[in-house]
Amino acid sequence: MRGVHVGVQVVSVDDERWVPVKWPADRDREFTEFVMVQRAALVRVAALLVSGDLARAEDVVQTALTRLYLAWPRVQLDTAGAYARRCVVNAAVDDRRSLFSRREQVRAQLPEVAAVDTQRGDATTIVALLATLPAGMRAAVVLRYVEGLSIAETADAMRCSEGNVKSQSARGLDRLREAIPQHARNIA
């Protein structure tokens, strides 16, 4: 590969076409700014995908951000949010498949039985119900109805067809309605 210095960027010849390559400092600054803005939203999505376990959600997001950083030179800034969500979904599915995570359940302390705050109780119930759904169904429900993505955006994030998103979402909502019939009319 041949390279030519042009201003502050290196431009390289790759398969007979010119491809601008960013300096590492610029790339790192852009990535850091992106993470500062998007991290909380990514953790929220990951928490729902991994059944509300915040520690696992943080691990999933860290794995996703590592993968995103490695791909960052090729990521277009206008689609970086969608690409990051796709990385989180993939990392959550990979985490669920991991043998290590199935064998070991680490807890800082034993859970206490406490009075349930109604708002917190509803959120806890929803997260527990989402945990009963298979990973693909859970991802479809979370991305469509919690994150508010369109069918096309959800299909892109899950790397599947739009028809699969529709059926997974419908089946997931049906299962949630069956599990909590008193709230069935409130579910999507």
Side-chain angles (χ1 to χ4, degrees), residues 3-11 23:
V4 179
H5 289 283
V6 178
V8 294
Q9 291 187 336
V10 174
V11 177
W23 287 100

Side-chain angles (χ1 to χ4, degrees), residues 35-56:
V35 170
M36 300 271 294
V37 171
Q38 295 292 323
R39 189 173 181 287
L42 295 174
V43 170
R44 185 181 69 242
V45 169
L48 292 169
L49 293 173
V50 297
S51 308
D53 185 343
L54 195 54
R56 277 183 58 206

Side-chain angles (χ1 to χ4, degrees), residues 95-113:
D95 180 69
R96 187 158 177 95
R97 290 180 183 159
S98 170
L99 290 175
F100 179 75
S101 68
R102 279 187 258 165
R103 279 188 263 139
E104 185 174 354
Q105 294 288 324
V106 179
R107 302 283 184 232
Q109 58 189 8
L110 293 175
E112 295 178 10
V113 178

